[in-house]
């Protein structure tokens, strides 16, 4: 069992930056690919970023490419999402998730952290 706790959300002006953190409990964190997703009010959940278990491979949703960077520190059981050049359309609840080999939909999820970007 892995528990995930996101932090770092908040209110920021357009063009600003935030760094989200996702702290994981459990000794198996380093075995899992990790992902970030977001969901805005009235919209479906959207894939944001993914990082492989060793951190060697990263993938991004088209809407965040070139602005967001995902990273992880397995020694600290933490995955990060650095968000730069934020836009009002980035406003959403951001979730981290762990893929235990069955896809994210059947993995472990955090409770989410709110990011609000003002124009």
């Amino acid at each position: 069992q892995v528990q995930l706790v996101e932090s770092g959300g908040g209110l920021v002006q357009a063009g600003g930056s935030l760094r989200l953190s996702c702290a994981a409990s459990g000794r198996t964190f380093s075995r899992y690919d990790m992902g970030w997703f977001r969901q805005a009010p009235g919209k479906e959940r959207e894939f944001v970023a993914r990082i492989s278990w060793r951190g060697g491979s990263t993938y991004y949703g088209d809407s965040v490419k070139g602005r967001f960077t995902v990273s992880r520190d397995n020694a600290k059981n933490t995955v990060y999402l650095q968000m730069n050049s934020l836009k009002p359309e980035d406003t959403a609840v951001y979730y981290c998730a762990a893929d235990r080999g069955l896809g994210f939909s059947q993995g472990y999820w955090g409770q989410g952290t709110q990011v609000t970007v003002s124009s």
Side-chain angles (χ1 to χ4, degrees):
Q1 186 75 12
V2 172
Q3 291 186 324
L4 304 174
V5 179
E6 302 95 335
S7 62
L11 175 65
V12 64
Q13 288 188 333
S17 298
L18 281 175
R19 187 175 83 154
L20 304 183
S21 299
C22 174
S25 65
R27 293 176 291 177
T28 55
F29 168 81
S30 61
R31 301 180 187 176
Y32 301 143
D33 285 12
M34 297 295 296
W36 286 96
F37 295 79
R38 67 186 183 186
Q39 188 165 21
K43 295 188 177 181
E44 293 187 353
R45 186 172 64 195
E46 177 187 12
F47 167 74
V48 174
R50 179 185 184 120
I51 185 166
S52 60
W53 66 281
R54 284 185 174 179
S57 297
T58 56
Y59 308 90
Y60 298 93
D62 288 342
S63 61
V64 306
K65 281 180 183 176
R67 300 187 298 123
F68 289 13
T69 302
V70 61
S71 61
R72 68 190 296 164
D73 185 338
N74 286 343
K76 295 183 178 180
N77 276 14
T78 302
V79 63
Y80 305 97
L81 184 68
Q82 178 67 44
M83 306 186 295
N84 298 328
S85 302
L86 283 162
K87 305 174 181 180
E89 50 264 43
D90 293 319
T91 295
V93 177
Y94 284 71
Y95 301 89
C96 71
D99 179 1
R100 51 180 177 151
L102 302 174
F104 284 114
S105 62
Q106 298 189 57
Y108 301 108
W109 288 79
Q111 83 291 347
T113 186
Q114 176 70 47
V115 171
T116 302
V117 184
S118 63
S119 58

